[in-house]
Amino acid sequence: MTSSASPGLARLNTADEQEVAGWLHEVCASRSWAAAVVGGRPYADPEALFAASDAAMAALTPEDLTEAMAGHPPIGRPKPGDPTSAREQSGVQDAVREELLELNLAYQERHGHVFLICATGRTGDQMLAVLKERIGNDTDTEREIVRTELGKINRIRLTRLVEGDL
């Protein structure tokens, strides 16, 4: 760790392993991912943390990926009482919420998991358009797209964590 590490990164590097695992669970619900990120400490800078996160995401088994996806509510229905979920889905307006939820159910029936997209900075209309494009993908292709989207979400959430705002 360098002396220029942010207070949040310093805290992540030095806190008790169990406490850090709890914080990381708020970033990604995969226990394997969290264990890999905890095991890579200390991190010299956020980029080293992001690289460890990306490597851990790439190494997830199908079961680990399922566990990671289970931590995400459907687009259009943020988890009640979860400010992270509400913030990330803030671009969903009531006008598209019902269609998103309906297509999400169809997607889930086809692929066996919720439609997952990095929602931060996207409008409901944009997410709906992507959902309509991706619903026809084969399940193996979708799982790899989901892995990429989870990696994006993890980076955003890790940034908030090291900046002290998870």
mmCIF file of all heavy atoms in Angstrom, residues 75 88-92 100 115 117-120 122-132:
data_model
loop_
_atom_site.group_PDB
_atom_site.id
_atom_site.type_symbol
_atom_site.label_atom_id
_atom_site.label_comp_id
_atom_site.label_asym_id
_atom_site.label_seq_id
_atom_site.Cartn_x
_atom_site.Cartn_y
_atom_site.Cartn_z
ATOM 1 N N ILE A 75 -34.431 -5.484 -12.925
ATOM 2 C CA ILE A 75 -34.452 -4.088 -13.353
ATOM 3 C C ILE A 75 -35.903 -3.621 -13.325
ATOM 4 O O ILE A 75 -36.799 -4.303 -13.815
ATOM 5 C CB ILE A 75 -33.855 -3.928 -14.765
ATOM 6 C CG1 ILE A 75 -32.364 -4.269 -14.764
ATOM 7 C CG2 ILE A 75 -34.089 -2.524 -15.314
ATOM 8 C CD1 ILE A 75 -31.492 -3.335 -13.955
ATOM 9 N N GLU A 88 -28.803 2.783 -8.321
ATOM 10 C CA GLU A 88 -28.391 2.224 -9.606
ATOM 11 C C GLU A 88 -29.541 2.149 -10.606
ATOM 12 O O GLU A 88 -29.314 2.246 -11.808
ATOM 13 C CB GLU A 88 -27.778 0.836 -9.397
ATOM 14 C CG GLU A 88 -26.447 0.909 -8.695
ATOM 15 C CD GLU A 88 -25.890 -0.429 -8.272
ATOM 16 O OE1 GLU A 88 -26.612 -1.441 -8.317
ATOM 17 O OE2 GLU A 88 -24.719 -0.468 -7.863
ATOM 18 N N GLN A 89 -30.762 1.994 -10.110
ATOM 19 C CA GLN A 89 -31.908 1.884 -11.004
ATOM 20 C C GLN A 89 -32.703 3.190 -11.099
ATOM 21 O O GLN A 89 -33.840 3.197 -11.572
ATOM 22 C CB GLN A 89 -32.832 0.753 -10.541
ATOM 23 C CG GLN A 89 -32.213 -0.616 -10.699
ATOM 24 C CD GLN A 89 -33.248 -1.708 -10.582
ATOM 25 O OE1 GLN A 89 -34.398 -1.541 -10.981
ATOM 26 N NE2 GLN A 89 -32.847 -2.831 -10.051
ATOM 27 N N SER A 90 -32.113 4.278 -10.707
ATOM 28 C CA SER A 90 -32.844 5.547 -10.675
ATOM 29 C C SER A 90 -33.278 6.030 -12.050
ATOM 30 O O SER A 90 -34.159 6.873 -12.149
ATOM 31 C CB SER A 90 -32.002 6.624 -9.981
ATOM 32 O OG SER A 90 -30.829 6.889 -10.736
ATOM 33 N N GLY A 91 -32.702 5.493 -13.109
ATOM 34 C CA GLY A 91 -33.070 5.906 -14.460
ATOM 35 C C GLY A 91 -34.355 5.276 -14.963
ATOM 36 O O GLY A 91 -34.817 5.594 -16.056
ATOM 37 N N VAL A 92 -34.947 4.368 -14.183
ATOM 38 C CA VAL A 92 -36.173 3.695 -14.611
ATOM 39 C C VAL A 92 -37.377 4.528 -14.200
ATOM 40 O O VAL A 92 -37.649 4.718 -13.020
ATOM 41 C CB VAL A 92 -36.277 2.278 -14.002
ATOM 42 C CG1 VAL A 92 -37.582 1.613 -14.426
ATOM 43 C CG2 VAL A 92 -35.083 1.425 -14.395
ATOM 44 N N LEU A 100 -40.562 -3.348 -18.535
ATOM 45 C CA LEU A 100 -39.301 -3.935 -18.086
ATOM 46 C C LEU A 100 -39.549 -5.179 -17.224
ATOM 47 O O LEU A 100 -38.908 -6.210 -17.419
ATOM 48 C CB LEU A 100 -38.485 -2.922 -17.270
ATOM 49 C CG LEU A 100 -37.486 -2.072 -18.009
ATOM 50 C CD1 LEU A 100 -36.934 -0.983 -17.087
ATOM 51 C CD2 LEU A 100 -36.359 -2.899 -18.579
ATOM 52 N N PHE A 115 -32.505 -10.623 -15.781
ATOM 53 C CA PHE A 115 -31.762 -9.813 -16.739
ATOM 54 C C PHE A 115 -30.857 -8.905 -15.934
ATOM 55 O O PHE A 115 -31.305 -8.202 -15.038
ATOM 56 C CB PHE A 115 -32.740 -8.990 -17.578
ATOM 57 C CG PHE A 115 -32.083 -7.952 -18.435
ATOM 58 C CD1 PHE A 115 -31.334 -8.317 -19.535
ATOM 59 C CD2 PHE A 115 -32.222 -6.608 -18.130
ATOM 60 C CE1 PHE A 115 -30.736 -7.353 -20.335
ATOM 61 C CE2 PHE A 115 -31.631 -5.642 -18.918
ATOM 62 C CZ PHE A 115 -30.886 -6.012 -20.026
ATOM 63 N N ILE A 117 -27.881 -5.934 -16.058
ATOM 64 C CA ILE A 117 -27.203 -4.908 -16.842
ATOM 65 C C ILE A 117 -26.663 -3.878 -15.859
ATOM 66 O O ILE A 117 -27.259 -3.651 -14.807
ATOM 67 C CB ILE A 117 -28.176 -4.249 -17.849
ATOM 68 C CG1 ILE A 117 -27.448 -3.290 -18.790
ATOM 69 C CG2 ILE A 117 -29.323 -3.561 -17.131
ATOM 70 C CD1 ILE A 117 -28.316 -2.817 -19.958
ATOM 71 N N CYS A 118 -25.545 -3.280 -16.185
ATOM 72 C CA CYS A 118 -25.035 -2.183 -15.367
ATOM 73 C C CYS A 118 -25.960 -0.994 -15.630
ATOM 74 O O CYS A 118 -25.892 -0.359 -16.679
ATOM 75 C CB CYS A 118 -23.594 -1.865 -15.737
ATOM 76 S SG CYS A 118 -22.880 -0.552 -14.741
ATOM 77 N N ALA A 119 -26.859 -0.741 -14.675
ATOM 78 C CA ALA A 119 -27.917 0.251 -14.852
ATOM 79 C C ALA A 119 -27.452 1.680 -14.616
ATOM 80 O O ALA A 119 -28.106 2.621 -15.078
ATOM 81 C CB ALA A 119 -29.081 -0.071 -13.907
ATOM 82 N N THR A 120 -26.348 1.859 -13.920
ATOM 83 C CA THR A 120 -25.880 3.198 -13.581
ATOM 84 C C THR A 120 -25.692 4.035 -14.842
ATOM 85 O O THR A 120 -25.004 3.632 -15.777
ATOM 86 C CB THR A 120 -24.558 3.113 -12.790
ATOM 87 O OG1 THR A 120 -24.787 2.370 -11.608
ATOM 88 C CG2 THR A 120 -24.028 4.492 -12.442
ATOM 89 N N ARG A 122 -27.905 4.746 -17.079
ATOM 90 C CA ARG A 122 -28.794 4.385 -18.184
ATOM 91 C C ARG A 122 -30.231 4.747 -17.837
ATOM 92 O O ARG A 122 -30.637 4.620 -16.692
ATOM 93 C CB ARG A 122 -28.737 2.892 -18.477
ATOM 94 C CG ARG A 122 -27.426 2.411 -19.023
ATOM 95 C CD ARG A 122 -27.552 0.922 -19.308
ATOM 96 N NE ARG A 122 -26.286 0.321 -19.612
ATOM 97 C CZ ARG A 122 -25.982 -0.199 -20.792
ATOM 98 N NH1 ARG A 122 -26.856 -0.191 -21.764
ATOM 99 N NH2 ARG A 122 -24.803 -0.744 -20.979
ATOM 100 N N THR A 123 -30.965 5.122 -18.847
ATOM 101 C CA THR A 123 -32.390 5.373 -18.652
ATOM 102 C C THR A 123 -33.142 4.046 -18.751
ATOM 103 O O THR A 123 -32.613 3.052 -19.265
ATOM 104 C CB THR A 123 -32.943 6.328 -19.731
ATOM 105 O OG1 THR A 123 -32.882 5.662 -20.997
ATOM 106 C CG2 THR A 123 -32.177 7.644 -19.765
ATOM 107 N N GLY A 124 -34.371 4.066 -18.288
ATOM 108 C CA GLY A 124 -35.214 2.885 -18.418
ATOM 109 C C GLY A 124 -35.398 2.487 -19.871
ATOM 110 O O GLY A 124 -35.384 1.297 -20.209
ATOM 111 N N ASP A 125 -35.569 3.476 -20.743
ATOM 112 C CA ASP A 125 -35.727 3.188 -22.172
ATOM 113 C C ASP A 125 -34.481 2.510 -22.748
ATOM 114 O O ASP A 125 -34.593 1.591 -23.569
ATOM 115 C CB ASP A 125 -36.025 4.469 -22.949
ATOM 116 C CG ASP A 125 -37.438 4.987 -22.715
ATOM 117 O OD1 ASP A 125 -38.342 4.166 -22.448
ATOM 118 O OD2 ASP A 125 -37.633 6.211 -22.799
ATOM 119 N N GLN A 126 -33.306 2.954 -22.335
ATOM 120 C CA GLN A 126 -32.066 2.331 -22.812
ATOM 121 C C GLN A 126 -31.973 0.887 -22.337
ATOM 122 O O GLN A 126 -31.603 -0.010 -23.110
ATOM 123 C CB GLN A 126 -30.857 3.126 -22.322
ATOM 124 C CG GLN A 126 -30.701 4.468 -22.989
ATOM 125 C CD GLN A 126 -29.659 5.344 -22.313
ATOM 126 O OE1 GLN A 126 -29.428 5.261 -21.110
ATOM 127 N NE2 GLN A 126 -29.025 6.210 -23.094
ATOM 128 N N MET A 127 -32.299 0.655 -21.060
ATOM 129 C CA MET A 127 -32.233 -0.711 -20.531
ATOM 130 C C MET A 127 -33.260 -1.605 -21.213
ATOM 131 O O MET A 127 -32.978 -2.772 -21.509
ATOM 132 C CB MET A 127 -32.417 -0.701 -19.023
ATOM 133 C CG MET A 127 -31.212 -0.121 -18.295
ATOM 134 S SD MET A 127 -31.371 -0.190 -16.513
ATOM 135 C CE MET A 127 -32.265 1.328 -16.205
ATOM 136 N N LEU A 128 -34.434 -1.066 -21.485
ATOM 137 C CA LEU A 128 -35.475 -1.822 -22.175
ATOM 138 C C LEU A 128 -35.006 -2.222 -23.572
ATOM 139 O O LEU A 128 -35.212 -3.364 -24.007
ATOM 140 C CB LEU A 128 -36.757 -0.997 -22.236
ATOM 141 C CG LEU A 128 -37.985 -1.674 -22.824
ATOM 142 C CD1 LEU A 128 -38.356 -2.930 -22.040
ATOM 143 C CD2 LEU A 128 -39.153 -0.689 -22.829
ATOM 144 N N ALA A 129 -34.363 -1.305 -24.283
ATOM 145 C CA ALA A 129 -33.860 -1.603 -25.624
ATOM 146 C C ALA A 129 -32.816 -2.722 -25.578
ATOM 147 O O ALA A 129 -32.835 -3.636 -26.416
ATOM 148 C CB ALA A 129 -33.261 -0.343 -26.259
ATOM 149 N N VAL A 130 -31.922 -2.682 -24.595
ATOM 150 C CA VAL A 130 -30.904 -3.721 -24.463
ATOM 151 C C VAL A 130 -31.553 -5.056 -24.099
ATOM 152 O O VAL A 130 -31.182 -6.110 -24.631
ATOM 153 C CB VAL A 130 -29.820 -3.322 -23.432
ATOM 154 C CG1 VAL A 130 -28.848 -4.470 -23.187
ATOM 155 C CG2 VAL A 130 -29.064 -2.083 -23.912
ATOM 156 N N LEU A 131 -32.520 -5.027 -23.214
ATOM 157 C CA LEU A 131 -33.240 -6.250 -22.838
ATOM 158 C C LEU A 131 -33.890 -6.878 -24.069
ATOM 159 O O LEU A 131 -33.798 -8.095 -24.285
ATOM 160 C CB LEU A 131 -34.277 -5.938 -21.763
ATOM 161 C CG LEU A 131 -35.232 -7.053 -21.327
ATOM 162 C CD1 LEU A 131 -34.506 -8.320 -20.929
ATOM 163 C CD2 LEU A 131 -36.100 -6.556 -20.177
ATOM 164 N N LYS A 132 -34.526 -6.068 -24.888
ATOM 165 C CA LYS A 132 -35.155 -6.583 -26.107
ATOM 166 C C LYS A 132 -34.125 -7.202 -27.046
ATOM 167 O O LYS A 132 -34.408 -8.192 -27.713
ATOM 168 C CB LYS A 132 -35.924 -5.466 -26.815
ATOM 169 C CG LYS A 132 -37.201 -5.086 -26.102
ATOM 170 C CD LYS A 132 -37.896 -3.921 -26.791
ATOM 171 C CE LYS A 132 -39.197 -3.563 -26.088
ATOM 172 N NZ LYS A 132 -39.853 -2.399 -26.736
#
